Amino acid sequence: MSIEIERAKYEKVWECEDYRKFSPGLRAIKEFKLLDIIKKDRIKSVLDVGCGSGKAMQYLLTQMPELKVHGFDIAKNCLDDFFKGSDCLTTGCLWSDPLPEGYDTLLFCDVGEHLPSEHVEASLKNIYDSCKVSAFLCIALFPDKFGALLLGEPLHLSLFPFEAWLKKIDNAGFNYVRWHVVEAADKKPMWLYAYCEKWDD
């Protein structure tokens, strides 16, 4: 799948106000108590990879104003108006472009399942190579509904069991020190949360 097709797809998606209303990444950060981990590990900078609307970035900035926060996304129109006039976004393709360097922790929330499956490994390796200390991943394990409504095709392209995702994370080089699967009422796995550290070189 070409980068141009993916970029056009998500620039169209981010024109939809309903798609902006909910941020799975923000919810995951709060549920996982990531802020406590950031403070405990003395993290000074965070890069939100696939930042989307930027609600997770906004939360981090308001809770920890001293934290250096930046976003990376394929769509230039993704950020909410909160960031209007700022330079908080770098645009590019996760599996082919270098990520902004120098960030302690990378967020990878509600992104993995959106990737074309043939590019998952390269994207995870790019994240591993770019972060200095750790990464927090939040990955959906279920089909989406918005894609059919907005585009007539799914947005969740890489639907793997959580065990397969953990294996892919491990193969990228990460040591996942803490992980959790969020289940639906019927016990069906819905989300994988994983906080991963970089192995010492």
Side-chain angles (χ1 to χ4, degrees), residues 7 14 19 45 54 60 98 100 117 123 137-138 143-144 173 186 195 198 200:
R7 180 177 293 111
W14 286 116
Y19 192 72
S45 57
L60 292 176
S117 57
S123 298
L137 296 86
C138 159
D144 71 283
D186 61 359
Y195 186 72
K198 228 174 158 171
D200 292 332

Side-chain angles (χ1 to χ4, degrees), residues 95-165:
W95 62 83
S96 65
D97 294 329
L99 297 176
E101 296 181 348
Y103 290 86
D104 295 333
T105 294
L106 270 61
L107 304 184
F108 184 66
C109 297
D110 191 31
V111 179
E113 69 276 11
H114 288 261
L115 294 170
S117 57
E118 66 269 24
H119 298 305
V120 167
E121 281 76 11
S123 298
L124 288 172
K125 190 63 169 62
N126 199 7
I127 290 171
Y128 179 84
D129 290 342
S130 300
C131 75
K132 293 168 63 178
V133 178
S134 59
F136 175 66
L137 296 86
C138 159
I139 300 169
L141 307 171
F142 56 90
D144 71 283
K145 296 179 181 179
F146 263 105
L149 291 172
L150 299 177
L151 304 170
E153 61 183 87
L155 293 174
H156 290 186
L157 304 178
S158 292
L159 294 174
F160 307 121
F162 73 86
E163 297 94 342
W165 275 111

Side-chain angles (χ1 to χ4, degrees), residues 35-49:
L35 211 58
D36 292 342
I37 298 174
I38 287 174
K39 292 176 180 177
K40 174 180 166 291
D41 289 352
R42 299 180 181 178
I43 298 299
K44 302 298 183 186
S45 57
V46 174
L47 177 67
D48 191 348
V49 179

Side-chain angles (χ1 to χ4, degrees), residues 2 6 11-12 18 28 31-32 35 42 46-47 51 59-60 62-63 73 75 83-84 116 133 158 165 190 193 198:
S2 77
E6 287 295 285
E11 288 180 352
K12 181 176 181 179
D18 283 343
E31 290 182 349
F32 202 77
L35 211 58
R42 299 180 181 178
V46 174
L47 177 67
C51 61
Y59 174 73
L60 292 176
T62 54
Q63 295 297 311
D73 203 279
F83 295 95
K84 192 171 184 178
V133 178
S158 292
W165 275 111
M190 297 295 287
Y193 299 165
K198 228 174 158 171

Side-chain angles (χ1 to χ4, degrees), residues 23-39 46 48 51-70 79-80 82-83 88 107 109 136:
S23 170
L26 176 56
R27 182 187 64 184
I29 285 171
K30 291 180 177 180
E31 290 182 349
F32 202 77
K33 295 181 171 50
L34 184 65
L35 211 58
D36 292 342
I37 298 174
I38 287 174
K39 292 176 180 177
V46 174
D48 191 348
C51 61
S53 65
K55 289 180 174 62
M57 293 166 56
Q58 182 177 345
Y59 174 73
L60 292 176
L61 285 168
T62 54
Q63 295 297 311
M64 295 183 66
E66 72 279 10
L67 195 66
K68 179 184 176 183
V69 179
H70 194 79
L79 289 180
D80 286 343
F82 175 86
F83 295 95
C88 285
L107 304 184
C109 297
F136 175 66

